[in-house]
Amino acid sequence: GRRHLRGGHRPRQAQARLLAWLRTDGDGESRDYAALFVMLCRVRMHEREVCPAELEAVFVGRDAETGKDWPAAIAAFLRWDRTEEDLLRAAGSPATAAGRERACEAWFYAGAVRWTVGDADGALERFEKCVKTGMFVFFEYARTRAAIENIRRK
């Protein structure tokens, strides 16, 4: 599912492909991240309903409060149910490997939302923090590098 966003598809196209994949093949962590990417597409398209029922079903009853269920914490942020500060707090300490991984993702999602609402400077700051995590094998890291280039070109 991640290749649909990596490949330069527009948000509406990526959303359609990811939703189709979710309906047929999605399970476990892959399902979680496909749902998150659809939610991100919906945020980018300024959709009023970021998390329609079929996506909500992926996260219903899961613990977004403590950060123990990391994808649920990201989903809560993208639904506007949690603040950026809440997301970063849930990511935990970047002094651990798991904390660096979560920090990479948290800074990416925070930057993507900032960029969507027109705060290019805030987005750039968050994207740069994502890159500083050094999690170069993560999809979010790669997308962040592309986003930084796009922001700097404008």
Side-chain angles (χ1 to χ4, degrees), residues 111-129:
V113 168
R114 291 278 181 147
W115 195 11
T116 298
V117 298
D119 180 6
D121 291 337
L124 185 60
E125 177 183 337
R126 282 145 186 85
F127 288 148
E128 288 172 341
K129 288 180 180 183

Side-chain angles (χ1 to χ4, degrees), residues 135-146:
M135 300 306 302
F136 60 89
V137 297
F138 274 48
F139 164 84
E140 292 83 358
Y141 181 94
R143 292 305 308 149
T144 294
R145 298 290 299 238

Side-chain angles (χ1 to χ4, degrees), residues 70 87-107 129-130 133 135 138:
W70 179 238
L87 179 66
L88 294 168
R89 190 172 27 260
S93 170
T96 67
R100 276 190 306 283
E101 292 171 358
R102 288 180 171 194
C104 175
E105 293 176 338
W107 289 121
K129 288 180 180 183
C130 175
T133 66
M135 300 306 302
F138 274 48

